[in-house]
Amino acid sequence: MGIHFSLPCVPGMPLAQAVAILQKHCRIIKNVQVLYSEQSPLSHDLILNLTQDGIKLLFDAFNQRLKVIEVYDLTKVKLKYCGVHFNSQAIAPTIEQIDQSFGATHPGVYNSAEQLFHLNFRGLSFSFQLDSWSEAPKYEFSRRIVTQPNFAHGLASLQIPHGATVKRMYIYNGNSLQDTKAPAMPLGCFLGNVYAESVDVLRDGTGVSGLRLRLLTAGSGPGVMADAKMRVSERCVYFGDSCQDVLSTLGSPHKVFYKSEDKMKIHSPSPHKQVPSKCNDYFFNYFTLGVDILFDANTHKVKKFVLHTNYPGHYNFNIYHRCDFKIPITIKRGTSCHNPNIHSMGDPTTESVDTQTETCTTYSKWDSIQDLLGHPMEKPVVLHRSSSPNNTNPFGSTFCFGLQRMIFEVMQNNHIASVTLYGPPRPSSQLKTPDLPQ
């Protein structure tokens, strides 16, 4: 069940796809608000509010897939079920109309705090407001009842007066609106794209070595779309892989971005000694994976990975799908290290007496990462982003910290915007300033 414009808007749809649908219908859907918690983006759903259409699309804060469709103003939309309208200018969504269209269901539930009566079907709920009824509720046994636990026998019921109309309607997955979760992405939402269910950062004895991606795609039988099903595969890419290796492993990128200049050259120890390159490094941008891969312009081999978290309030929000990554952090505690939480990757001087492995994820905050890796010795690099020199970034700057061959881009709310992973150090003659996340 879902709401149709020209493409279906169904539970499980990724945020970026829903936004693309709304952008395509910008002449019809003229006002969309993006609602989220600036300080605690994981504590509340991400909401697209279609103010002129009386519809809210609620997306899970973690996986950013559609969880609930709420129609809060039924006067602004026409609704039909099985090809028959149950709400339009000519048809009021009364309790009788709901009964006629959807049939019998389980007893409803009355919320005294909201003064709302909820009539629930599987994946669908209707809310009726008590204070809008013209006649007083009658307490008797009925097919449509509301259990009243405060009553003496606990079995009293409330008959809904004739003509009571729906105040809100909810579409979701499962049996209960309170317990609903965003389902897996429907096959119809893949549209030929490959998505990353998870991304594991691989390590070897010297540090980060590459990525292992668990990929999802919609496959089908030999020429039969009815046999379409979810297909899962794992692919690995490593530092030093060639451009051809990555193409054969992950397929063609959505975009290839060539670096026109190195704005971070000023942070190099000897920027004036660096000879301008005749060719530019380039990125493979995999938007549905939430990953960028940087290739060296001379060797055409992988030298950096960028993992994007896609938090609202970041300049690049909704360009990438969220990369659900896991980075294993090895903490070595030794007698020669003054700070037991700091371990320099590739530094053999620390005598390890205890090794502990922790995990940094997309949802880790910068404070907790510092507790694992230690505090950076150098001040952060302030990263400004704007679409043109005359424009300002309404979300403000981010801060980039370098630790253990990783650059963490930190938002002002302490969440991680992106993580850049770079390979083993090259000879000093080839050493360049690390690139910050694009």
Side-chain angles (χ1 to χ4, degrees):
M1 181 176 294
I3 294 178
H4 290 255
F5 301 108
S6 64
L7 292 175
C9 188
V10 295
M13 171 178 287
L15 171 68
Q17 195 170 117
V19 172
I21 291 175
L22 299 179
Q23 289 176 331
K24 183 179 179 180
H25 294 82
C26 61
R27 295 186 178 181
I28 302 174
I29 304 171
K30 299 183 179 297
N31 192 353
V32 179
Q33 295 178 339
V34 181
L35 307 177
Y36 62 93
S37 174
E38 184 174 0
Q39 294 302 318
S40 303
L42 298 176
S43 301
H44 305 278
D45 292 333
L46 177 61
I47 300 175
L48 299 181
N49 183 18
L50 286 58
T51 57
Q52 294 186 4
D53 301 277
I55 299 173
K56 287 182 181 178
L57 305 178
L58 284 70
F59 294 82
D60 185 271
F62 287 85
N63 56 41
Q64 296 187 340
R65 295 196 302 268
L66 183 58
K67 183 170 70 173
V68 177
I69 302 173
E70 176 186 347
V71 182
Y72 60 88
D73 190 346
L74 279 79
T75 63
K76 297 180 178 180
V77 294
K78 294 181 180 180
L79 302 173
K80 60 183 179 181
Y81 177 67
C82 293
V84 179
H85 282 92
F86 64 92
N87 174 66
S88 65
Q89 293 181 350
I91 302 174
T94 62
I95 185 61
E96 291 79 18
Q97 183 63 49
I98 299 302
D99 280 343
Q100 180 180 349
S101 299
F102 295 91
T105 183
H106 297 289
V109 178
Y110 174 59
N111 188 319
S112 58
E114 300 178 346
Q115 288 191 326
L116 288 176
F117 169 80
H118 301 287
L119 190 63
N120 301 315
F121 299 83
R122 179 174 175 80
L124 181 67
S125 291
F126 296 96
S127 297
F128 301 84
Q129 192 165 24
L130 292 179
D131 59 7
S132 66
W133 294 354
S134 58
E135 58 180 286
K138 298 178 181 178
Y139 294 95
E140 60 183 50
F141 288 98
S142 168
R143 184 171 65 85
R144 299 185 301 272
I145 63 173
V146 185
T147 55
Q148 299 285 342
N150 294 330
F151 289 172
H153 297 89
L155 297 175
S157 62
L158 178 64
Q159 182 180 5
I160 305 176
H162 295 287
T165 58
V166 176
K167 180 178 178 61
R168 288 189 180 92
M169 184 187 74
Y170 302 90
I171 300 172
Y172 51 91
N173 183 68
N175 295 318
S176 170
L177 177 61
Q178 289 71 29
D179 300 328
T180 187
K181 296 180 180 179
M185 190 187 308
L187 292 174
C189 292
F190 279 86
L191 302 177
N193 291 306
V194 179
Y195 294 86
E197 183 181 42
S198 62
V199 175
D200 293 321
V201 175
L202 304 176
R203 303 180 71 102
D204 55 20
T206 62
V208 176
S209 61
L211 304 178
R212 181 173 60 239
L213 301 95
R214 183 177 173 85
L215 303 178
L216 303 177
T217 185
S220 60
V224 182
M225 287 303 296
D227 295 336
K229 61 181 180 179
M230 184 86 68
R231 297 188 181 273
V232 182
S233 60
E234 285 192 355
R235 298 288 187 270
C236 294
V237 289
Y238 300 93
F239 290 114
D241 280 356
S242 68
C243 176
Q244 290 81 1
D245 291 334
V246 174
L247 287 172
S248 63
T249 301
L250 300 180
S252 298
H254 295 90
K255 183 180 179 182
V256 178
F257 174 79
Y258 289 87
K259 295 185 60 180
S260 58
E261 59 178 331
D262 187 359
K263 296 180 180 179
M264 301 308 298
K265 189 182 297 183
I266 191 173
H267 294 284
S268 173
S270 303
H272 60 283
K273 295 182 181 180
Q274 295 188 15
V275 179
S277 176
K278 295 183 180 180
C279 51
N280 300 320
D281 293 346
Y282 54 95
F283 283 94
F284 277 7
N285 304 127
Y286 291 95
F287 296 130
T288 58
L289 305 182
V291 174
D292 291 332
I293 301 177
L294 179 66
F295 292 89
D296 185 272
N298 297 311
T299 64
H300 301 283
K301 295 184 181 298
V302 176
K303 69 175 186 178
K304 286 185 176 69
F305 298 104
V306 185
L307 314 179
H308 298 271
T309 60
N310 196 43
Y311 276 106
H314 186 259
Y315 184 78
N316 288 334
F317 174 66
N318 204 47
I319 294 178
Y320 298 85
H321 289 247
R322 171 164 289 169
C323 177
D324 191 357
F325 61 78
K326 295 180 177 63
I327 305 176
I329 304 295
T330 301
I331 305 173
K332 294 184 179 179
R333 307 181 187 277
T335 56
S336 61
C337 184
H338 295 289
N339 187 344
N341 290 327
I342 299 179
H343 167 58
S344 179
M345 298 297 294
D347 184 2
T349 60
T350 299
E351 297 179 4
S352 176
V353 295
D354 184 25
T355 300
Q356 182 179 357
T357 301
E358 301 287 347
T359 303
C360 167
T361 72
T362 305
Y363 315 106
S364 300
K365 289 189 175 182
W366 175 236
D367 289 344
S368 63
I369 295 175
Q370 288 186 101
D371 291 340
L372 297 175
L373 298 177
H375 293 263
M377 301 300 293
E378 298 180 356
K379 292 183 178 180
V381 174
V382 181
L383 183 60
H384 300 279
R385 283 187 172 95
S386 61
S387 57
S388 68
N390 296 326
N391 290 344
T392 58
N393 180 0
F395 306 113
S397 304
T398 54
F399 303 92
C400 297
F401 299 87
L403 285 170
Q404 297 189 8
R405 295 206 332 240
M406 295 180 285
I407 297 176
F408 294 89
E409 183 188 0
V410 183
M411 301 171 62
Q412 297 182 14
N413 60 8
N414 204 33
H415 283 278
I416 305 300
S418 68
V419 180
T420 300
L421 314 171
Y422 48 99
R426 289 170 290 174
S428 57
S429 60
Q430 301 180 9
L431 190 62
K432 296 182 180 180
T433 305
D435 299 282
L436 291 176
Q438 298 299 310

